[in-house]
Coordinates of all heavy atoms in Angstrom, one line a residue:
M1 N 6.5 14.8 5.2 CA 5.3 15.6 5.1 C 4.1 14.8 5.7 O 4.0 13.6 5.4 CB 5.0 15.9 3.7 CG 3.9 16.9 3.5 SD 3.7 17.5 1.8 CE 5.2 18.5 1.6
T2 N 3.3 15.5 6.5 CA 2.2 14.8 7.2 C 1.1 14.6 6.2 O 1.0 15.4 5.2 CB 1.7 15.5 8.4 OG1 1.1 16.8 8.0 CG2 2.9 15.8 9.4
A3 N 0.2 13.7 6.5 CA -1.0 13.5 5.7 C -1.9 14.8 5.7 O -2.5 15.1 4.7 CB -1.8 12.3 6.2
Q4 N -1.9 15.5 6.8 CA -2.7 16.7 6.9 C -2.1 17.8 5.9 O -2.9 18.5 5.2 CB -2.7 17.3 8.3 CG -3.7 18.5 8.4 CD -5.1 18.1 8.1 OE1 -5.7 17.2 8.7 NE2 -5.7 18.9 7.1
K5 N -0.8 17.9 5.9 CA -0.2 18.9 5.0 C -0.4 18.6 3.5 O -0.7 19.4 2.7 CB 1.3 19.0 5.3 CG 1.6 19.7 6.5 CD 3.1 19.9 6.8 CE 3.3 20.6 8.1 NZ 4.7 20.9 8.3
V6 N -0.4 17.3 3.2 CA -0.7 16.8 1.8 C -2.1 17.1 1.5 O -2.4 17.7 0.4 CB -0.3 15.4 1.6 CG1 -0.8 14.9 0.2 CG2 1.2 15.1 1.8
A7 N -3.0 16.8 2.4 CA -4.4 17.0 2.2 C -4.7 18.5 2.0 O -5.5 18.9 1.1 CB -5.2 16.5 3.4
D8 N -4.1 19.4 2.8 CA -4.3 20.8 2.7 C -3.8 21.3 1.3 O -4.5 22.1 0.6 CB -3.6 21.6 3.8 CG -4.2 21.4 5.1 OD1 -5.3 20.9 5.2 OD2 -3.5 21.6 6.1
A9 N -2.7 20.7 0.8 CA -2.1 21.1 -0.4 C -3.0 20.7 -1.6 O -3.0 21.4 -2.7 CB -0.7 20.6 -0.6
I10 N -3.6 19.5 -1.5 CA -4.3 19.0 -2.7 C -5.9 19.2 -2.6 O -6.6 18.8 -3.5 CB -4.0 17.5 -3.0 CG1 -4.5 16.6 -2.0 CG2 -2.5 17.4 -3.3 CD1 -4.3 15.1 -2.3
G11 N -6.3 19.7 -1.4 CA -7.7 20.0 -1.3 C -8.6 18.9 -0.9 O -9.7 18.8 -1.4
C12 N -8.2 18.1 0.0 CA -9.1 17.0 0.6 C -8.8 16.9 2.1 O -8.2 17.7 2.7 CB -8.9 15.7 -0.2 SG -7.2 15.0 0.0
N13 N -9.2 15.8 2.7 CA -8.9 15.6 4.1 C -7.8 14.5 4.3 O -7.5 13.8 3.4 CB -10.2 15.3 4.9 CG -10.8 14.0 4.5 OD1 -10.2 12.9 4.4 ND2 -12.1 14.0 4.2
K14 N -7.3 14.5 5.5 CA -6.1 13.6 5.8 C -6.5 12.1 5.7 O -5.7 11.3 5.3 CB -5.5 13.9 7.1 CG -6.3 13.5 8.3 CD -5.6 13.8 9.6 CE -6.4 13.5 10.8 NZ -5.7 13.8 12.0
F15 N -7.8 11.8 5.9 CA -8.2 10.4 5.8 C -8.2 9.9 4.4 O -7.9 8.8 4.1 CB -9.6 10.2 6.5 CG -9.6 10.6 7.9 CD1 -10.2 11.8 8.3 CD2 -8.9 9.9 8.9 CE1 -10.2 12.2 9.7 CE2 -8.9 10.2 10.2 CZ -9.5 11.4 10.6
R16 N -8.6 10.8 3.5 CA -8.6 10.5 2.1 C -7.1 10.2 1.6 O -6.8 9.3 0.9 CB -9.2 11.6 1.2 CG -9.3 11.3 -0.2 CD -10.4 12.0 -1.0 NE -10.3 11.8 -2.4 CZ -10.7 10.7 -3.0 NH1 -11.2 9.7 -2.3 NH2 -10.5 10.5 -4.3
V17 N -6.2 11.1 2.1 CA -4.8 10.9 1.7 C -4.3 9.6 2.2 O -3.6 8.8 1.5 CB -3.9 12.1 2.3 CG1 -2.5 11.8 2.1 CG2 -4.3 13.4 1.6
K18 N -4.6 9.3 3.5 CA -4.2 8.0 4.1 C -4.7 6.8 3.3 O -4.0 5.8 3.0 CB -4.6 7.9 5.5 CG -3.7 8.8 6.4 CD -4.1 8.7 7.9 CE -3.3 9.6 8.7 NZ -3.6 9.5 10.1
N19 N -6.0 6.9 2.9 CA -6.6 5.8 2.1 C -5.9 5.7 0.7 O -5.8 4.6 0.2 CB -8.1 6.1 1.9 CG -8.9 5.7 3.2 OD1 -8.4 4.9 4.0 ND2 -10.0 6.3 3.4
M20 N -5.6 6.8 0.1 CA -4.9 6.8 -1.2 C -3.5 6.1 -1.0 O -3.1 5.2 -1.8 CB -4.6 8.2 -1.8 CG -5.8 8.7 -2.5 SD -5.3 10.3 -3.4 CE -6.1 11.4 -2.2
C21 N -2.8 6.4 0.1 CA -1.5 5.9 0.3 C -1.6 4.4 0.6 O -0.6 3.6 0.2 CB -0.8 6.5 1.5 SG -0.4 8.3 1.2
Q22 N -2.7 3.9 1.1 CA -2.8 2.5 1.4 C -3.5 1.7 0.2 O -3.8 0.6 0.3 CB -3.7 2.3 2.7 CG -3.0 2.8 3.9 CD -3.8 2.8 5.1 OE1 -5.0 2.4 5.1 NE2 -3.3 3.2 6.2
G23 N -3.8 2.5 -0.8 CA -4.5 1.8 -2.0 C -5.9 1.5 -1.8 O -6.5 0.7 -2.5
M24 N -6.6 2.2 -0.9 CA -8.0 2.0 -0.6 C -9.0 2.8 -1.3 O -10.2 2.6 -1.3 CB -8.2 2.2 0.9 CG -7.3 1.3 1.8 SD -7.7 -0.5 1.7 CE -9.2 -0.5 2.6
T25 N -8.5 3.9 -2.0 CA -9.4 4.7 -2.8 C -8.6 5.3 -4.0 O -7.4 5.4 -4.0 CB -9.9 5.9 -1.9 OG1 -10.9 6.6 -2.6 CG2 -8.8 6.9 -1.6
Y26 N -9.4 5.6 -5.0 CA -8.8 6.1 -6.3 C -8.7 7.6 -6.1 O -9.7 8.3 -5.8 CB -9.7 5.8 -7.5 CG -9.8 4.3 -7.8 CD1 -11.0 3.7 -7.5 CD2 -8.8 3.6 -8.4 CE1 -11.1 2.3 -7.8 CE2 -8.9 2.3 -8.7 CZ -10.1 1.6 -8.4 OH -10.2 0.3 -8.7
P27 N -7.5 8.2 -6.5 CA -7.5 9.7 -6.5 C -8.2 10.2 -7.8 O -8.2 9.5 -8.8 CB -6.0 9.9 -6.6 CG -5.4 8.7 -7.2 CD -6.3 7.6 -6.8
S28 N -8.8 11.4 -7.6 CA -9.4 12.0 -8.7 C -8.4 12.5 -9.7 O -7.2 12.7 -9.3 CB -10.3 13.1 -8.3 OG -9.5 14.2 -7.8
P29 N -8.8 12.9 -10.9 CA -7.8 13.5 -11.9 C -7.2 14.8 -11.3 O -6.0 15.0 -11.5 CB -8.7 13.7 -13.1 CG -9.7 12.7 -13.1 CD -10.0 12.5 -11.6
D30 N -8.0 15.6 -10.6 CA -7.5 16.8 -10.0 C -6.5 16.5 -8.9 O -5.5 17.2 -8.8 CB -8.7 17.7 -9.5 CG -9.5 18.2 -10.6 OD1 -9.1 18.3 -11.7 OD2 -10.7 18.6 -10.3
E31 N -6.8 15.5 -8.1 CA -5.9 15.1 -7.0 C -4.5 14.6 -7.6 O -3.5 14.9 -7.0 CB -6.5 14.1 -6.1 CG -7.6 14.7 -5.3 CD -8.5 13.6 -4.6 OE1 -8.5 12.4 -5.0 OE2 -9.1 13.9 -3.6
I32 N -4.6 13.9 -8.7 CA -3.4 13.4 -9.3 C -2.5 14.5 -9.8 O -1.3 14.6 -9.5 CB -3.7 12.4 -10.5 CG1 -4.3 11.1 -9.9 CG2 -2.5 12.2 -11.4 CD1 -4.9 10.2 -11.0
R33 N -3.1 15.5 -10.5 CA -2.4 16.7 -10.9 C -1.8 17.5 -9.7 O -0.6 17.9 -9.8 CB -3.2 17.6 -11.8 CG -3.5 17.0 -13.2 CD -4.2 18.0 -14.1 NE -5.6 18.3 -13.7 CZ -6.6 17.5 -14.0 NH1 -6.5 16.4 -14.7 NH2 -7.8 17.8 -13.6
A34 N -2.6 17.6 -8.7 CA -2.1 18.3 -7.5 C -0.9 17.6 -6.8 O 0.0 18.3 -6.3 CB -3.3 18.5 -6.5
L35 N -1.0 16.3 -6.7 CA 0.1 15.5 -6.2 C 1.4 15.7 -7.0 O 2.5 15.8 -6.4 CB -0.3 14.0 -6.1 CG -1.2 13.6 -5.0 CD1 -1.8 12.2 -5.2 CD2 -0.6 13.8 -3.6
E36 N 1.2 15.7 -8.3 CA 2.4 15.9 -9.2 C 3.0 17.2 -9.0 O 4.3 17.4 -8.9 CB 2.0 15.6 -10.6 CG 1.7 14.2 -10.9 CD 1.3 14.0 -12.4 OE1 0.6 14.8 -13.0 OE2 1.6 12.9 -12.9
R37 N 2.2 18.3 -8.8 CA 2.7 19.6 -8.6 C 3.4 19.7 -7.2 O 4.4 20.3 -7.1 CB 1.6 20.7 -8.7 CG 1.2 21.0 -10.1 CD 0.3 22.2 -10.1 NE -0.9 22.1 -9.3 CZ -2.1 21.6 -9.6 NH1 -2.2 21.1 -10.8 NH2 -3.1 21.5 -8.8
L38 N 2.7 19.1 -6.2 CA 3.2 19.2 -4.8 C 4.6 18.6 -4.7 O 5.5 19.1 -4.1 CB 2.2 18.5 -3.9 CG 2.6 18.5 -2.4 CD1 2.7 19.9 -1.8 CD2 1.6 17.7 -1.6
F39 N 4.7 17.4 -5.2 CA 6.0 16.6 -5.1 C 7.0 16.8 -6.2 O 8.1 16.4 -6.1 CB 5.7 15.2 -4.8 CG 5.0 14.9 -3.5 CD1 3.7 14.6 -3.5 CD2 5.8 15.0 -2.3 CE1 3.1 14.4 -2.2 CE2 5.2 14.7 -1.1 CZ 3.8 14.4 -1.1
G40 N 6.5 17.4 -7.3 CA 7.4 17.7 -8.4 C 7.9 16.5 -9.1 O 9.0 16.4 -9.7
M41 N 7.1 15.4 -9.2 CA 7.4 14.2 -9.8 C 6.2 13.5 -10.3 O 5.1 13.8 -9.9 CB 8.2 13.3 -8.9 CG 7.4 12.8 -7.7 SD 8.3 11.6 -6.7 CE 9.6 12.6 -6.1
P42 N 6.3 12.6 -11.3 CA 5.1 11.9 -11.8 C 4.4 11.1 -10.7 O 5.1 10.5 -9.9 CB 5.6 11.0 -12.9 CG 7.0 11.5 -13.2 CD 7.5 12.2 -12.0
V43 N 3.2 11.1 -10.7 CA 2.4 10.3 -9.7 C 2.7 8.8 -9.9 O 2.5 8.1 -8.9 CB 0.9 10.7 -9.8 CG1 0.2 10.0 -10.9 CG2 0.2 10.3 -8.5
D44 N 3.1 8.4 -11.0 CA 3.4 7.0 -11.3 C 4.5 6.5 -10.3 O 4.5 5.3 -9.9 CB 4.0 6.7 -12.7 CG 3.0 7.3 -13.7 OD1 3.0 8.5 -13.9 OD2 2.3 6.5 -14.3
V45 N 5.3 7.4 -9.8 CA 6.4 7.1 -8.9 C 5.8 6.9 -7.5 O 6.4 6.1 -6.7 CB 7.5 8.2 -8.9 CG1 8.5 8.0 -7.8 CG2 8.1 8.3 -10.2
M46 N 4.7 7.5 -7.2 CA 4.2 7.6 -5.8 C 3.1 6.5 -5.6 O 2.9 6.1 -4.5 CB 3.6 9.0 -5.5 CG 4.7 10.0 -5.6 SD 4.0 11.7 -5.3 CE 3.5 12.2 -6.9
L47 N 2.3 6.3 -6.6 CA 1.1 5.4 -6.4 C 1.1 4.2 -7.3 O 1.7 4.2 -8.4 CB -0.2 6.2 -6.7 CG -0.5 7.4 -5.8 CD1 -1.7 8.1 -6.3 CD2 -0.6 6.9 -4.3
E48 N 0.5 3.1 -6.9 CA 0.4 1.9 -7.7 C -0.3 2.2 -9.0 O -1.3 3.0 -9.0 CB -0.4 0.8 -7.0 CG 0.3 0.3 -5.8 CD 1.5 -0.6 -6.2 OE1 1.5 -1.2 -7.2 OE2 2.4 -0.8 -5.3
P49 N 0.1 1.6 -10.1 CA -0.6 1.9 -11.4 C -2.1 1.6 -11.3 O -2.9 2.3 -12.0 CB 0.0 0.9 -12.4 CG 1.4 0.6 -11.8 CD 1.2 0.7 -10.3
A50 N -2.6 0.7 -10.5 CA -4.0 0.3 -10.4 C -4.8 1.5 -9.9 O -6.0 1.6 -10.2 CB -4.2 -0.9 -9.5
L51 N -4.2 2.4 -9.1 CA -4.9 3.6 -8.6 C -5.0 4.7 -9.6 O -5.7 5.7 -9.3 CB -4.2 4.1 -7.3 CG -4.2 3.2 -6.1 CD1 -3.4 3.7 -5.0 CD2 -5.6 2.9 -5.7
L52 N -4.4 4.6 -10.7 CA -4.4 5.7 -11.7 C -5.3 5.4 -12.9 O -5.2 6.1 -13.9 CB -2.9 5.9 -12.2 CG -1.9 6.1 -11.1 CD1 -0.5 6.2 -11.7 CD2 -2.3 7.4 -10.3
I53 N -6.2 4.5 -12.7 CA -7.1 4.2 -13.9 C -8.1 5.4 -14.2 O -8.6 5.4 -15.3 CB -7.9 2.9 -13.6 CG1 -8.8 3.0 -12.4 CG2 -7.0 1.7 -13.6 CD1 -9.7 1.8 -12.2
Y54 N -8.2 6.3 -13.3 CA -9.1 7.5 -13.6 C -8.3 8.7 -13.9 O -8.9 9.8 -14.0 CB -10.0 7.7 -12.4 CG -11.0 6.6 -12.1 CD1 -10.8 5.7 -11.0 CD2 -12.1 6.4 -12.9 CE1 -11.6 4.7 -10.8 CE2 -12.9 5.3 -12.7 CZ -12.7 4.5 -11.6 OH -13.5 3.4 -11.4
R55 N -7.0 8.5 -14.2 CA -6.1 9.7 -14.5 C -6.7 10.6 -15.6 O -6.6 11.8 -15.5 CB -4.8 9.1 -14.8 CG -3.9 10.2 -15.4 CD -2.6 9.6 -15.9 NE -1.7 9.7 -14.8 CZ -0.5 9.1 -14.8 NH1 -0.1 8.4 -15.7 NH2 0.3 9.3 -13.8
D56 N -7.1 9.9 -16.7 CA -7.6 10.7 -17.8 C -8.9 11.4 -17.6 O -9.3 12.2 -18.4 CB -7.6 9.9 -19.1 CG -8.5 8.7 -19.0 OD1 -9.3 8.6 -18.1 OD2 -8.5 7.9 -19.9
G57 N -9.6 11.1 -16.5 CA -10.9 11.8 -16.2 C -12.1 11.4 -17.0 O -13.1 12.1 -16.9
K58 N -12.0 10.4 -17.9 CA -13.1 10.1 -18.8 C -14.3 9.6 -18.0 O -15.4 9.8 -18.3 CB -12.7 9.0 -19.8 CG -11.7 9.6 -20.8 CD -11.4 8.5 -21.9 CE -10.4 9.1 -22.8 NZ -9.8 8.1 -23.7
V59 N -14.0 8.9 -16.9 CA -15.1 8.4 -16.0 C -14.8 8.8 -14.6 O -13.9 8.2 -14.0 CB -15.2 6.8 -16.1 CG1 -16.3 6.3 -15.2 CG2 -15.4 6.3 -17.5
W60 N -15.4 9.8 -14.2 CA -15.2 10.3 -12.8 C -16.5 10.9 -12.3 O -17.1 11.6 -13.0 CB -14.0 11.3 -12.6 CG -13.8 11.6 -11.2 CD1 -14.2 12.7 -10.6 CD2 -13.1 10.8 -10.3 NE1 -13.8 12.7 -9.2 CE2 -13.1 11.5 -9.0 CE3 -12.5 9.6 -10.3 CZ2 -12.6 11.0 -7.9 CZ3 -11.9 9.0 -9.2 CH2 -12.0 9.7 -8.0
P61 N -17.0 10.6 -11.1 CA -16.3 9.7 -10.1 C -16.4 8.3 -10.5 O -17.2 7.9 -11.4 CB -17.2 10.0 -8.8 CG -18.5 10.5 -9.3 CD -18.2 11.1 -10.7
P62 N -15.6 7.4 -9.8 CA -15.7 6.0 -10.1 C -17.0 5.4 -9.8 O -17.8 5.9 -9.0 CB -14.6 5.4 -9.2 CG -14.3 6.4 -8.2 CD -14.7 7.8 -8.7
H63 N -17.3 4.3 -10.6 CA -18.5 3.6 -10.4 C -18.5 3.0 -9.0 O -17.5 2.7 -8.4 CB -18.6 2.5 -11.4 CG -18.7 3.0 -12.8 ND1 -19.8 3.5 -13.4 CD2 -17.7 3.0 -13.8 CE1 -19.6 3.8 -14.6 NE2 -18.3 3.5 -14.9
I64 N -19.7 2.8 -8.4 CA -19.8 2.2 -7.1 C -20.7 1.0 -7.2 O -21.5 0.8 -8.1 CB -20.3 3.2 -6.0 CG1 -21.7 3.7 -6.4 CG2 -19.4 4.3 -5.8 CD1 -22.4 4.5 -5.3
G65 N -20.6 0.1 -6.2 CA -21.5 -1.1 -6.2 C -21.2 -2.0 -7.3 O -20.1 -2.1 -7.8
P66 N -22.2 -2.7 -7.8 CA -22.0 -3.7 -8.9 C -21.5 -3.0 -10.2 O -20.7 -3.7 -10.9 CB -23.4 -4.3 -9.2 CG -24.1 -4.0 -7.9 CD -23.5 -2.8 -7.3
A67 N -21.8 -1.8 -10.4 CA -21.3 -1.1 -11.6 C -19.7 -1.0 -11.6 O -19.1 -1.1 -12.7 CB -21.8 0.3 -11.7
S68 N -19.1 -0.9 -10.4 CA -17.7 -0.9 -10.4 C -17.1 -2.2 -10.8 O -16.0 -2.2 -11.5 CB -17.2 -0.5 -9.0 OG -17.5 -1.6 -8.1
I69 N -17.7 -3.3 -10.5 CA -17.2 -4.6 -10.9 C -17.3 -4.7 -12.4 O -16.3 -5.2 -13.1 CB -18.0 -5.7 -10.3 CG1 -17.8 -5.7 -8.7 CG2 -17.7 -7.1 -10.8 CD1 -18.7 -6.6 -7.9
H70 N -18.4 -4.3 -13.0 CA -18.5 -4.4 -14.5 C -17.5 -3.4 -15.2 O -16.9 -3.8 -16.2 CB -20.0 -4.0 -14.9 CG -21.0 -5.0 -14.5 ND1 -21.1 -6.3 -15.0 CD2 -21.9 -4.9 -13.5 CE1 -22.0 -6.9 -14.4 NE2 -22.6 -6.1 -13.5
Y71 N -17.3 -2.3 -14.6 CA -16.3 -1.4 -15.2 C -14.9 -2.0 -15.1 O -14.1 -1.9 -16.0 CB -16.3 0.0 -14.4 CG -15.4 1.0 -15.0 CD1 -15.5 1.4 -16.4 CD2 -14.3 1.5 -14.3 CE1 -14.7 2.3 -16.9 CE2 -13.5 2.5 -14.9 CZ -13.7 2.9 -16.2 OH -12.8 3.8 -16.7
E72 N -14.6 -2.6 -14.0 CA -13.2 -3.3 -13.9 C -13.1 -4.4 -14.9 O -12.0 -4.5 -15.5 CB -13.0 -3.8 -12.5 CG -12.7 -2.6 -11.5 CD -12.3 -3.1 -10.1 OE1 -12.0 -4.3 -10.0 OE2 -12.2 -2.2 -9.2
Y73 N -14.1 -5.2 -15.1 CA -14.1 -6.2 -16.2 C -13.9 -5.6 -17.6 O -13.1 -6.1 -18.4 CB -15.4 -7.0 -16.2 CG -15.5 -8.0 -15.1 CD1 -16.7 -8.2 -14.4 CD2 -14.4 -8.9 -14.7 CE1 -16.8 -9.1 -13.4 CE2 -14.5 -9.8 -13.7 CZ -15.7 -9.9 -13.1 OH -15.8 -10.8 -12.1
E74 N -14.5 -4.4 -17.8 CA -14.4 -3.7 -19.1 C -12.9 -3.3 -19.2 O -12.3 -3.4 -20.3 CB -15.3 -2.6 -19.1 CG -15.2 -1.7 -20.4 CD -16.1 -0.5 -20.3 OE1 -17.2 -0.6 -19.8 OE2 -15.6 0.6 -20.8
L75 N -12.4 -2.7 -18.2 CA -11.0 -2.3 -18.2 C -10.0 -3.4 -18.5 O -9.1 -3.3 -19.3 CB -10.6 -1.6 -16.9 CG -11.2 -0.2 -16.7 CD1 -10.9 0.3 -15.3 CD2 -10.7 0.8 -17.7
R76 N -10.2 -4.5 -17.8 CA -9.4 -5.7 -18.0 C -9.5 -6.2 -19.4 O -8.5 -6.6 -20.0 CB -9.8 -6.8 -17.0 CG -9.3 -6.5 -15.6 CD -9.6 -7.7 -14.7 NE -9.1 -7.4 -13.3 CZ -9.9 -7.2 -12.3 NH1 -11.2 -7.2 -12.5 NH2 -9.4 -6.9 -11.1
A77 N -10.7 -6.2 -20.0 CA -10.9 -6.7 -21.3 C -10.1 -5.8 -22.3 O -9.6 -6.3 -23.4 CB -12.3 -6.7 -21.7
R78 N -9.9 -4.5 -22.0 CA -9.1 -3.6 -22.8 C -7.6 -3.7 -22.5 O -6.8 -2.9 -23.1 CB -9.6 -2.2 -22.6 CG -11.0 -1.9 -23.3 CD -11.3 -0.5 -23.3 NE -11.7 -0.1 -21.9 CZ -11.8 1.2 -21.5 NH1 -11.5 2.1 -22.3 NH2 -12.1 1.5 -20.3
G79 N -7.2 -4.6 -21.6 CA -5.8 -4.7 -21.2 C -5.3 -3.8 -20.2 O -4.1 -3.8 -19.9
V80 N -6.2 -3.1 -19.5 CA -5.7 -2.2 -18.4 C -5.6 -3.1 -17.1 O -6.5 -3.8 -16.7 CB -6.8 -1.1 -18.1 CG1 -6.4 -0.3 -16.9 CG2 -7.0 -0.2 -19.4
K81 N -4.4 -2.9 -16.5 CA -4.2 -3.7 -15.2 C -4.9 -2.9 -14.1 O -4.5 -1.8 -13.8 CB -2.7 -3.8 -15.0 CG -2.4 -4.7 -13.8 CD -0.9 -5.1 -13.8 CE -0.7 -5.8 -12.5 NZ 0.1 -7.0 -12.6
V82 N -5.9 -3.5 -13.5 CA -6.7 -2.9 -12.5 C -6.2 -3.1 -11.1 O -6.1 -2.2 -10.3 CB -8.2 -3.3 -12.6 CG1 -9.0 -2.7 -11.5 CG2 -8.7 -2.9 -14.0
D83 N -5.8 -4.3 -10.8 CA -5.3 -4.5 -9.4 C -3.8 -4.9 -9.6 O -3.4 -5.5 -10.6 CB -6.1 -5.5 -8.6 CG -6.5 -6.8 -9.3 OD1 -5.6 -7.4 -10.0 OD2 -7.6 -7.1 -9.3
P84 N -3.0 -4.6 -8.5 CA -1.6 -4.8 -8.7 C -1.1 -6.3 -8.8 O -0.1 -6.5 -9.3 CB -1.0 -4.2 -7.4 CG -2.2 -4.0 -6.5 CD -3.4 -4.0 -7.3
D85 N -2.0 -7.2 -8.4 CA -1.6 -8.6 -8.6 C -2.8 -9.5 -8.7 O -3.8 -9.2 -8.1 CB -0.6 -8.9 -7.4 CG -1.0 -9.8 -6.3 OD1 -1.9 -10.6 -6.5 OD2 -0.3 -9.8 -5.3
P86 N -2.7 -10.6 -9.4 CA -3.9 -11.4 -9.7 C -4.5 -12.0 -8.5 O -5.7 -12.4 -8.5 CB -3.4 -12.4 -10.7 CG -1.9 -12.3 -10.7 CD -1.5 -11.0 -10.1
D87 N -3.7 -12.1 -7.4 CA -4.3 -12.7 -6.2 C -4.7 -11.6 -5.2 O -4.7 -11.9 -4.0 CB -3.2 -13.6 -5.5 CG -2.8 -14.8 -6.4 OD1 -3.7 -15.3 -7.0 OD2 -1.6 -15.1 -6.5
F88 N -5.0 -10.5 -5.7 CA -5.4 -9.3 -4.8 C -6.5 -9.7 -3.8 O -6.3 -9.5 -2.6 CB -5.9 -8.2 -5.7 CG -6.4 -7.0 -4.8 CD1 -5.5 -6.1 -4.3 CD2 -7.7 -6.8 -4.6 CE1 -5.9 -5.1 -3.5 CE2 -8.2 -5.7 -3.9 CZ -7.2 -4.8 -3.3
F89 N -7.6 -10.3 -4.2 CA -8.6 -10.6 -3.3 C -8.2 -11.6 -2.2 O -8.6 -11.5 -1.1 CB -9.9 -11.1 -4.0 CG -10.6 -9.9 -4.7 CD1 -10.5 -9.9 -6.1 CD2 -11.2 -8.9 -4.1 CE1 -11.1 -8.8 -6.8 CE2 -11.8 -7.9 -4.7 CZ -11.7 -7.8 -6.1
S90 N -7.5 -12.6 -2.6 CA -7.1 -13.7 -1.6 C -6.0 -13.2 -0.7 O -5.9 -13.6 0.4 CB -6.7 -14.9 -2.4 OG -5.5 -14.7 -3.2
T91 N -5.1 -12.3 -1.2 CA -4.0 -11.8 -0.3 C -4.4 -10.6 0.5 O -4.0 -10.5 1.6 CB -2.8 -11.6 -1.1 OG1 -3.0 -10.6 -2.1 CG2 -2.2 -12.8 -1.8
Q92 N -5.1 -9.7 -0.1 CA -5.4 -8.4 0.6 C -6.8 -8.4 1.3 O -7.0 -7.7 2.3 CB -5.4 -7.3 -0.4 CG -4.1 -7.1 -1.2 CD -3.0 -6.8 -0.3 OE1 -3.1 -6.0 0.6 NE2 -1.9 -7.5 -0.5
L93 N -7.7 -9.2 0.8 CA -9.0 -9.3 1.4 C -9.4 -10.7 1.6 O -10.4 -11.2 1.1 CB -10.1 -8.6 0.5 CG -9.7 -7.2 0.0 CD1 -10.7 -6.7 -1.0 CD2 -9.8 -6.2 1.2
P94 N -8.7 -11.4 2.5 CA -9.0 -12.9 2.6 C -10.3 -13.2 3.2 O -10.9 -14.3 3.0 CB -7.9 -13.3 3.6 CG -7.4 -12.1 4.3 CD -7.7 -10.9 3.4
W95 N -11.0 -12.2 3.9 CA -12.3 -12.5 4.4 C -13.4 -12.4 3.4 O -14.5 -12.8 3.6 CB -12.6 -11.4 5.6 CG -12.3 -10.0 5.1 CD1 -11.1 -9.4 5.3 CD2 -13.1 -9.1 4.4 NE1 -11.1 -8.1 4.7 CE2 -12.4 -8.0 4.2 CE3 -14.4 -9.2 4.0 CZ2 -13.0 -6.9 3.5 CZ3 -15.0 -8.1 3.3 CH2 -14.2 -7.0 3.1
L96 N -13.1 -11.8 2.2 CA -14.1 -11.6 1.2 C -14.3 -12.9 0.4 O -13.3 -13.5 -0.1 CB -13.6 -10.5 0.2 CG -14.6 -10.2 -0.9 CD1 -15.9 -9.6 -0.4 CD2 -13.9 -9.2 -1.9
K97 N -15.5 -13.4 0.4 CA -15.8 -14.6 -0.4 C -16.5 -14.2 -1.6 O -17.6 -13.6 -1.6 CB -16.7 -15.5 0.5 CG -16.0 -16.0 1.7 CD -14.8 -16.9 1.4 CE -14.2 -17.4 2.7 NZ -12.9 -17.8 2.6
L98 N -15.9 -14.5 -2.8 CA -16.5 -14.2 -4.0 C -17.5 -15.3 -4.4 O -17.4 -16.4 -4.0 CB -15.5 -14.0 -5.1 CG -14.4 -12.9 -4.8 CD1 -13.4 -12.9 -5.9 CD2 -15.1 -11.6 -4.7
G99 N -18.5 -14.9 -5.2 CA -19.5 -15.9 -5.7 C -18.9 -17.2 -6.3 O -17.9 -17.1 -7.0
G100 N -19.4 -18.3 -5.9 CA -18.9 -19.6 -6.4 C -17.8 -20.2 -5.6 O -17.3 -21.3 -5.9
E101 N -17.3 -19.5 -4.6 CA -16.3 -20.1 -3.7 C -16.9 -20.8 -2.5 O -17.9 -20.5 -2.0 CB -15.3 -19.0 -3.2 CG -14.5 -18.4 -4.3 CD -13.5 -17.4 -3.8 OE1 -13.4 -17.2 -2.6 OE2 -12.8 -16.9 -4.6

């Protein structure tokens, strides 16, 4: 199935679908439900757990800028796994220099 066909089925554009597939954006609660209906399987099978932190829709849209960092710290404090691996920034975003480095 092409990204365009998925986008048409869930109500977004193909670039958003591609970004979701690459783990670059969080799907909305509505997009998660639409993906489950489209493919007939739980979205947990299709996307990394880190992308599903907005599944319950309590906080949508996601925070942006510095607020997103604080929200991720809050999630981690509650035991929610936010990124797929602890070396996410060094392995996926090696050009990003975090404060204090």
Side-chain angles (χ1 to χ4, degrees):
M1 187 173 290
T2 67
Q4 186 62 57
K5 287 184 180 181
V6 173
D8 292 342
I10 67 172
C12 66
N13 63 52
K14 69 179 180 181
F15 302 107
R16 181 155 175 77
V17 170
K18 287 180 180 185
N19 284 336
M20 276 188 259
C21 291
Q22 295 173 357
M24 302 293 286
T25 190
Y26 296 106
S28 73
D30 291 338
E31 290 167 336
I32 289 171
R33 287 188 293 278
L35 285 168
E36 289 176 327
R37 282 192 306 273
L38 177 64
F39 291 104
M41 63 179 65
V43 76
D44 307 79
V45 174
M46 298 178 271
L47 298 175
E48 292 286 334
L51 292 176
L52 302 176
I53 62 174
Y54 296 104
R55 168 187 268 169
D56 61 11
K58 290 180 184 172
V59 179
W60 185 260
H63 298 283
I64 58 172
S68 66
I69 295 168
H70 294 291
Y71 183 61
E72 286 188 11
Y73 283 136
E74 178 186 322
L75 288 171
R76 285 187 179 106
R78 288 189 286 165
V80 175
K81 188 170 173 133
V82 176
D83 44 51
D85 109 21
D87 296 321
F88 176 78
F89 289 106
S90 62
T91 59
Q92 302 299 316
L93 305 172
W95 50 269
L96 180 66
K97 298 294 181 202
L98 300 176
E101 291 185 3

